[in-house]
Amino acid sequence: MGTEQRECVPGRPVGRRRARWREWTPLTLLAGAVLVGAVLWAAGRRGTADVVWAASTLVALVPAVWAVLRQLWRRRFGVDVIAVLALAGALLVGEYLAGAVIAVMVATGRALEAYAQGRATRDLRALLERAPRRARRRTPDGGIEVIGLDRVAVGDQLLVGPGDVVPVDGVLTAPATLDESVVTGESQLVGRAAGEQVPSGVVNAGAAVGLRATRDAAGSTYAGIVRLAREATAHRAPTVRLADRYAAAFVPFTLALAAVAGVWSGEFVRAVAVLVVATPCPLLLATPIAIVSGLSRVARRGVLVRDGGSLELLGRARTLLLDKTGTLTAGRPWAAETVVAPGGDRDEVLRLAASVEQLSPHVLAVALVRQARQRGLVLATPTEVTEEPGRGVSGRVDGRLVRVGQLGGDLPDWAELARDRAELAGWSTVWVSGDQGPLGAILLADPVRPDARRTVRRLREAGLSRLLLLTGDRPRTAEQVARLVGVDEVLARCSPQEKVDRVRRESRRAVTVMVGDGVNDAPALAAAHVGVAMGATGATGATASADVADAVITVDRLDRLADAVEIARHARRIAVQSAAVGMGLAVLAMLVAAAGRLPPVAGAFLQEGIDVLVILNALRALRGGLRRRDVPPTTRALLDRYAGQHAGVRDVLARVRDTADLVATRPTAEGCLPALRDTHRRLTDEVLPHADAEERQLYPALAGPLGGDEATATMSREHVEIHGLVDRIGGHLARADGRLHPDQVPDLLASLYGLDAVLRLHLAGEEEDYLSLDPAPPTPGS
């Protein structure tokens, strides 16, 4: 849709150029008139110079009077009245140069406002401008037709050409390279495999690729983002309305001070001087500029905030309530462990289960198929597939009957151990069976996001003092997640109504933010001061949450919440600072003018300088405020590489646990020593080289983003411990002369189980502290 994209926004660039011309042309003409008058004055033609300056003042006065009259008609009373009085007063007392400078000041304020608003809303505007309008659809006869986006239906086969914007949410029919920066905020190109879901709005950065539509245009991800962007650009921040209310006190004070100065001194020119330096029209623009700048910045980070009021509240928040599933956890199950019957093969059990589940839309089935494909397993096409609700799926794979789901009756010893392990860990169990009974069990977990703990720490540092976890899950599982991420309080088995009640209770104490992702979270999001929906990626629950939320995190990363809070606080701080400093300087100048120490001309130039200074200060909200450090591209590449190797390390880790169980239960069995040798070989060939390479390449590269070499010291110490335990296992193998001696078993078990614990902790720590720095950290086990 290269051409279609250009057709999306006909006339927009021209319209913006005309808008800029309308704002900057009056300023240019008025400034030119002031300079022409100055030249005439220097040439001795003072009468002509005064005429030029008076005309400039009158040119500015007429539209200013009209603006004030319109405000009064709408029952609004703003600070523009001061500018009108200052311009009129300058004409009455013959201070024509002062009047011309005031005219230039007012025009400068309008031009700076136009520039600042355009600069601050550039990212939001870009979202609107690049919204797709058309799609290429395959026809039954094999042709391609270009259709309007509103004609795309679920199931349509679309073609996305090079450089095209993906028009609707869909599933890729072939591998693709995508630019997801508009949706995720990250500029790095991403490779997606066939069968993966992709959201609308991303750009095809590779060859043409097929896409099967899974949602229509109105329900797709980018449509929701565009709706939020429109609302964000249409609403005014409460601080903008506060500026209008501020005029109710500032204008009477100004008029009273001007009157006192004129009456007390008997010089009307002093009253005019007070009005001149009190002209704060562009000054009060600094506050909304800072807020809109914050809206633009959070949009670049992949967070769409509905309006400036929500951003301002986010900057004042003190309490945060978090849903668990899909918010603190990934919301996508993955196979934490695959337990097999004695003599079985893990990969084969996973392949059989995924092959049967290929046709099932169930979330657990999708997880099994995704993980099997990630491991490179070749799935077979199942036959005679049947599904029993609540029981599972059965079918034939390569002529072999396979059942996946629940398992009834008595269980063999290994299966009972697997079931007990899953219950203790809070995991789900999917049994894989054949004609002869159970072949294995796949233990599924919903992992905590790798960036969750780091995000919670950043939120506390940003000023959120109370963090609570609300979930409908079991207390045991909820407590485990709470301890892991570090929240203050847990409310488990929580119904949607209980979530709403708790949000309302917390909202009475402080400004409260609620974060969730599902349909059941929508009422709680609506009840909070600021509701934040996680990942508007097309899921039904996410769409329902996004519809009522004040902000939507468009990328599936929790750390963007911390980014948004930090940016919101930064923007609000600058807004308050700009207003306080600017108005303080204006009041000080007014007092000096009332004392007769600041004539109107000098006051006009001074006020112009104050206004420009404060507006430029407000634009600082476009940068700064983030505590996190950006990771250089070379370091990101290293993080991607070593994150990809974690799947292999976890596979070896599973072998370590199996071998330990075998040594513990059957140390004299014929296959025990060969299994131990194979595990040791994989440790020395795969795990230790991975650890050594991290020490040489990854950890030094992380010194900058993490603030020094000491940040990786703990992980380096764990590498030393892993090496030592592998060496101990190797030492026992060297002593074994065809079998394990009884006196070796206790220390060998300590080494194997110790290695299992240290390696699990090490992988979790790396994923939380290091790999979560990458824009797209892996799901553990992927």
Side-chain angles (χ1 to χ4, degrees):
M1 273 182 291
T3 56
E4 286 81 3
Q5 279 182 256
R6 288 191 288 273
E7 294 170 5
C8 295
V9 286
R12 290 286 182 87
V14 175
R16 285 200 299 275
R17 284 196 294 270
R18 288 175 179 168
R20 287 196 295 267
W21 181 86
R22 285 195 301 267
E23 298 298 341
W24 288 96
T25 297
L27 172 60
T28 304
L29 294 176
L30 289 170
V34 171
L35 292 176
V36 168
V39 171
L40 292 171
W41 181 277
R45 302 176 63 180
R46 298 188 176 184
T48 307
D50 285 341
V51 170
V52 172
W53 288 334
S56 301
T57 306
L58 192 61
V59 166
L61 178 60
V62 171
V65 170
W66 177 245
V68 169
L69 291 176
R70 282 190 301 172
Q71 285 184 342
L72 293 175
W73 178 258
R74 296 169 184 169
R75 298 182 179 181
R76 290 174 53 194
F77 186 70
V79 292
D80 288 341
V81 69
I82 299 176
V84 169
L85 293 175
L87 289 166
L91 287 174
L92 288 175
V93 300
E95 291 283 352
Y96 303 121
L97 176 58
V101 173
I102 296 171
V104 172
M105 179 179 65
V106 172
T108 301
R110 289 174 179 161
L112 280 175
E113 177 192 16
Y115 165 77
Q117 291 281 4
R119 173 70 176 84
T121 60
R122 183 176 62 188
D123 299 286
L124 296 174
R125 191 173 62 243
L127 288 171
L128 301 177
E129 290 182 355
R130 66 188 304 283
R133 295 291 190 276
R134 293 177 175 82
R136 293 189 179 98
R137 182 171 65 184
R138 298 184 187 275
T139 59
D141 60 2
I144 300 292
E145 61 177 344
V146 178
I147 60 173
L149 206 61
D150 57 348
R151 292 177 55 196
V152 176
V154 175
D156 280 354
Q157 296 293 329
L158 307 178
L159 180 68
V160 184
D164 284 1
V165 176
V166 174
V168 295
D169 295 354
V171 175
L172 292 171
T173 59
T177 301
L178 303 175
D179 174 4
E180 301 182 351
S181 58
V182 170
V183 176
T184 67
E186 295 294 343
S187 59
Q188 200 172 24
L189 298 182
V190 177
R192 299 295 181 194
E196 283 199 62
Q197 289 270 355
V198 293
S200 58
V202 305
V203 177
N204 180 16
V209 66
L211 181 83
R212 178 174 56 81
T214 56
R215 299 184 74 86
D216 60 16
S220 288
T221 299
Y222 201 72
I225 293 174
V226 168
R227 283 195 299 271
L228 282 173
R230 287 200 178 107
E231 292 176 7
T233 53
H235 284 73
R236 303 174 73 203
T239 43
V240 183
R241 298 190 292 272
L242 179 62
D244 292 338
R245 293 197 301 269
Y246 184 73
F250 184 74
V251 173
F253 169 76
T254 300
L255 297 178
L257 183 60
V260 169
V263 173
W264 186 269
S265 66
E267 300 176 3
F268 186 59
V269 70
R270 287 198 188 186
V272 173
V274 171
L275 293 173
V276 167
V277 295
T279 308
C281 304
L283 171 64
L284 292 181
L285 295 172
T287 298
I289 286 169
I291 295 297
V292 175
S293 297
L295 286 172
S296 179
R297 288 194 65 202
V298 296
R300 289 202 303 271
R301 307 303 300 178
V303 182
L304 264 294
V305 180
R306 196 174 295 275
D307 54 47
S310 299
L311 187 81
E312 197 266 347
L313 284 171
L314 192 61
R316 294 195 292 120
R318 289 291 178 270
T319 302
L320 177 69
L321 298 98
L322 295 151
D323 175 49
K324 181 182 77 69
T325 305
T327 302
L328 286 176
T329 67
R332 294 187 303 272
W334 62 278
E337 288 187 36
T338 302
V339 181
V340 297
D345 181 87
R346 275 194 184 80
D347 287 346
E348 179 62 12
V349 168
L350 180 58
R351 187 188 76 86
L352 292 173
S355 296
V356 171
E357 294 279 21
Q358 285 180 93
L359 304 179
S360 174
H362 194 277
V363 62
L364 297 182
V366 173
L368 293 177
V369 173
R370 180 179 65 245
Q371 197 151 345
R373 285 175 171 160
Q374 288 174 346
R375 292 177 66 87
L377 303 179
V378 179
L379 304 186
T381 302
T383 59
E384 302 177 22
V385 177
T386 59
E387 184 167 359
E388 297 180 52
R391 296 289 300 172
V393 179
S394 64
R396 291 194 175 274
V397 179
D398 299 331
R400 180 180 182 182
L401 179 63
V402 178
R403 299 185 184 90
V404 181
Q406 300 299 316
L407 191 65
D410 296 332
L411 298 177
D413 292 343
W414 67 268
E416 288 185 355
L417 291 174
R419 182 191 58 192
D420 294 343
R421 186 186 304 175
E423 289 179 355
L424 290 173
W427 296 341
S428 302
T429 305
V430 174
W431 297 98
V432 184
S433 307
D435 288 321
Q436 305 302 318
L439 304 173
I442 301 174
L443 311 185
L444 293 166
D446 183 13
V448 172
R449 294 177 182 269
D451 56 348
R453 188 175 179 86
R454 177 187 294 276
T455 300
V456 167
R457 289 200 301 265
R458 288 179 59 197
L459 290 170
R460 289 192 187 279
E461 292 170 0
L464 287 161
S465 56
R466 182 167 167 77
L467 282 78
L468 296 86
L469 172 62
L470 306 182
T471 178
D473 210 338
R474 295 167 294 177
R476 181 187 182 90
T477 304
E479 290 286 352
Q480 289 175 343
V481 172
R483 282 196 300 270
L484 185 58
V485 301
V487 298
D488 300 314
E489 189 177 335
V490 181
L491 186 61
R493 298 195 186 280
C494 189
S495 68
Q497 183 58 49
E498 288 173 324
K499 287 185 179 182
V500 172
D501 293 341
R502 190 54 181 261
V503 168
R504 288 174 176 165
R505 191 187 318 164
E506 295 296 335
S507 297
R508 288 193 289 267
R509 300 177 182 173
V511 177
T512 299
V513 178
M514 171 70 195
V515 187
D517 78 315
V519 174
N520 63 333
D521 296 322
L525 296 181
H529 287 109
V530 182
V532 181
M534 280 294 301
T537 52
T540 303
T543 303
S545 296
D547 286 342
V548 301
D550 302 292
V552 174
I553 302 177
T554 62
V555 57
D556 196 23
R557 285 180 62 90
L558 186 62
D559 62 350
R560 299 308 169 83
L561 174 64
D563 289 350
V565 170
E566 290 172 358
I567 290 171
R569 292 199 186 287
H570 180 65
R572 184 176 181 274
R573 184 166 56 250
I574 288 178
V576 173
Q577 177 193 86
S578 297
V581 172
M583 297 311 298
L585 291 174
V587 170
L588 182 62
M590 289 163 59
L591 294 175
V592 175
R597 301 292 184 180
L598 190 64
V601 173
F605 281 108
L606 175 62
Q607 184 61 55
E608 176 81 352
I610 293 174
D611 292 339
V612 172
L613 174 67
V614 175
I615 288 174
L616 293 178
N617 179 68
L619 286 173
R620 290 194 304 114
L622 286 168
R623 64 180 65 88
L626 281 174
R627 298 172 186 270
R628 62 176 259 171
R629 304 188 184 192
D630 288 331
V631 180
T634 53
T635 305
R636 287 184 178 183
L638 288 174
L639 289 169
D640 284 341
R641 182 198 308 172
Y642 289 106
Q645 294 177 9
H646 270 207
V649 175
R650 288 187 182 277
D651 186 57
V652 179
L653 180 59
R655 304 287 179 179
V656 170
R657 179 61 181 263
D658 284 349
T659 303
D661 292 345
L662 184 59
V663 171
T665 56
R666 295 184 297 157
T668 58
E670 183 178 347
C672 182
L673 192 58
L676 184 60
R677 293 191 189 278
D678 182 66
T679 299
H680 182 262
R681 179 189 58 78
R682 295 196 62 182
L683 286 167
T684 54
D685 291 351
E686 299 177 37
V687 176
L688 296 187
H690 169 82
D692 294 341
E694 285 182 331
E695 288 289 341
R696 292 192 310 270
Q697 297 179 337
L698 180 61
Y699 289 6
L702 290 172
L706 293 175
D709 294 330
E710 287 301 312
T712 58
T714 302
M715 293 298 173
S716 293
R717 178 64 183 84
E718 290 175 5
H719 277 162
V720 173
E721 186 68 19
I722 290 168
H723 267 278
L725 290 169
V726 173
D727 288 343
R728 281 172 62 182
I729 295 170
H732 282 291
L733 284 172
R735 283 185 54 201
D737 50 359
R739 62 185 182 87
L740 290 175
H741 299 286
D743 62 329
Q744 291 182 277
V745 172
D747 188 66
L748 188 55
L749 287 175
S751 300
L752 288 167
Y753 285 123
L755 181 60
D756 175 77
V758 173
L759 202 48
R760 286 180 190 277
L761 180 63
H762 182 76
L763 291 175
E766 280 193 335
E767 286 161 0
E768 175 187 316
D769 293 331
Y770 306 157
L771 302 185
S772 64
L773 296 172
D774 187 67
T779 299
S782 65

